[in-house]
Amino acid sequence: MPTTYSYTRLFAFAEAVFRSMGCSETDARQATETLLSADLRGVDSHGVARLSGYLRLWEAQRVNATPSIGVVHETPSTAVVDGDAGLGLVVGPHAMRLAIEKAQSVGTGWVAVRNSNHYGIAGYHAMLALPHDMIGISLTNASPLVAPTHSLERLLGTNPISVAIPAGDQPPFVLDMATTTAAQGKMEILERKGLPAPAGWIQDQYGNSSQNPTETRSGGALIPLGGETGSHKGYGLGATVDILSAVLSGANYGPWVPPFVAFLQPPANPVGQGIGHFFGAMRVDAFRPAAEFKAHMDNWIETFRNAKAVPEKHVLIPGDPERLTTEQRLLNGIPLLQKVVDDLQSVGEKFGLTL
């Protein structure tokens, strides 16, 4: 059975770990906020369960705890940011806030990022635009675990897309999804629980359907969104994310994206620098009055949420499950599987910290 920990307890622990790695107080707090946003929203694969992964990357000198994040190219509405191999948990919010600043000035802001690392959940970054009455967009490429349609080679990552759209009286619309049928983190959770993967999530090294959640360790691959009959659509979306995040920024793309796990070395002869992200912010009032737009968003959300549904089901708006999970977990705590607790305790022992 999972053990439940309060958000404040996990926050203090993770922040202390990042500080022990050498992060500044500001960066440690930002990294922790980004990381734990996943646990709050129920995306357990991308929260504190990955803290040890970031630590191992730092120990392998593949993460810079004190990066000098800077703009290397800029126009009034665009920029390219070099993350100096910093934590993506810090680099991502920095770049998204730059996109927001540009949108405040000229209506829209677009920022491509190179030389970064895994940035947590895509939704956290997109949602930074919401308090400013802006639409936020967040994309990132990832290490290659995905076979394009008809391929036996792993050439793409799970390459998520998030779009956050403000509303008025209704909660915001927040899409946050991988461009694969399921993210690799879901496989890790299934492995911890000793459960098989649903059919259509993964293929073995020969291209056959598999339900083994560890298949990628044996040369298998994740399947793009759409599964065995519609994966060309997920392939196209994942490819678009890879191009905008990396080909545009100067980061590594396709099979050259460095792995998140520290025991695997980055590919030889890289074509760019680190992992790439892409962020967008659009001021709603650059298109129509914000109050008018948000009133119509309320109507849109209510119309879809109240749609006639199949028996014992109801129509959800993107972001609904995560919002409800956040409310519950802030009140009742965040459940962690014992394997995750053991892993975190091992991390704490390295720095004399107690979970």
Side-chain angles (χ1 to χ4, degrees):
M1 293 294 292
T3 304
T4 300
Y5 292 84
S6 70
Y7 175 76
T8 53
R9 181 175 174 182
L10 288 177
F11 195 104
F13 177 80
E15 185 178 23
V17 170
F18 286 123
R19 289 286 283 147
S20 298
M21 288 167 55
C23 295
S24 68
E25 182 177 348
T26 299
D27 284 358
R29 189 164 189 82
Q30 176 64 78
T32 304
E33 182 179 310
T34 310
L35 185 69
L36 284 185
S37 69
D39 294 292
L40 282 181
R41 294 178 67 76
V43 191
D44 298 333
S45 57
H46 285 55
V48 291
R50 291 210 169 187
L51 183 59
S52 63
Y54 293 107
L55 173 60
R56 287 190 287 268
L57 286 174
W58 171 73
E59 290 174 331
Q61 299 183 337
R62 285 172 50 192
V63 162
N64 179 3
T66 56
S68 178
I69 304 168
V71 174
V72 294
H73 182 75
E74 189 171 24
T75 74
S77 62
T78 67
V80 176
V81 166
D82 189 299
D84 195 25
L87 286 162
L89 304 169
V90 175
V91 177
H94 178 99
M96 185 64 197
R97 290 189 176 102
L98 177 58
I100 291 168
E101 289 175 13
K102 288 183 173 293
Q104 287 171 331
S105 297
V106 296
T108 66
W110 304 94
V111 178
V113 179
R114 70 187 188 204
N115 202 8
S116 184
N117 282 282
H118 191 279
Y119 79 169
I121 59 169
Y124 174 83
H125 310 282
M127 291 175 68
L128 291 176
L130 294 174
H132 304 279
D133 279 349
M134 295 183 189
I135 296 170
I137 298 173
S138 168
L139 318 174
T140 186
N141 68 357
S143 51
L145 294 171
V146 182
T149 303
H150 304 316
S151 174
L152 294 178
E153 292 188 69
R154 304 189 309 201
L155 297 176
L156 288 171
T158 54
N159 295 7
I161 295 172
S162 180
V163 180
I165 304 174
D169 296 330
Q170 292 293 322
F173 173 108
V174 182
L175 173 73
D176 187 354
M177 67 176 207
T179 53
T180 46
T181 303
Q184 174 62 16
K186 297 288 178 63
M187 301 297 179
E188 295 166 2
I189 291 174
L190 290 173
E191 181 184 358
R192 292 184 199 118
K193 293 182 176 180
L195 297 174
W201 282 22
I202 195 167
Q203 67 182 38
D204 65 18
Q205 61 181 318
Y206 305 108
N208 303 309
S209 180
S210 171
Q211 291 185 271
N212 179 3
T214 67
E215 197 70 68
T216 56
R217 297 179 191 166
S218 306
L222 300 180
I223 296 174
L225 183 65
E228 296 171 352
T229 59
S231 68
H232 58 287
K233 297 179 180 180
Y235 166 35
L237 289 171
T240 300
V241 172
D242 198 37
I243 293 166
L244 291 177
S245 298
V247 180
L248 193 62
S249 69
N252 288 295
Y253 48 82
W256 291 278
V257 178
F260 179 74
V261 291
F263 61 83
L264 293 177
Q265 290 299 311
N269 305 313
V271 292
Q273 294 177 282
I275 283 175
H277 319 309
F278 186 76
F279 302 102
M282 297 184 287
R283 223 172 60 207
V284 167
D285 67 2
F287 298 88
R288 68 187 299 188
E292 183 180 283
F293 170 83
K294 291 195 291 184
H296 280 280
M297 273 304 300
D298 283 348
N299 185 48
W300 190 97
I301 289 169
E302 290 169 354
T303 300
F304 278 73
R305 187 177 284 128
N306 295 327
K308 186 176 181 179
V310 299
E312 299 183 14
K313 298 287 185 179
H314 60 278
V315 177
L316 294 172
I317 304 302
D320 278 354
E322 295 87 348
R323 174 175 50 81
L324 295 173
T325 300
T326 297
E327 293 172 0
Q328 293 167 359
R329 291 188 171 186
L330 283 173
L331 183 64
N332 302 318
I334 295 169
L336 300 181
L337 295 173
Q338 189 57 47
K339 288 185 178 181
V340 175
V341 173
D342 294 342
D343 194 34
L344 291 175
Q345 288 174 336
S346 296
V347 169
E349 288 171 2
K350 290 177 180 278
F351 301 114
L353 301 171
T354 302
L355 177 62

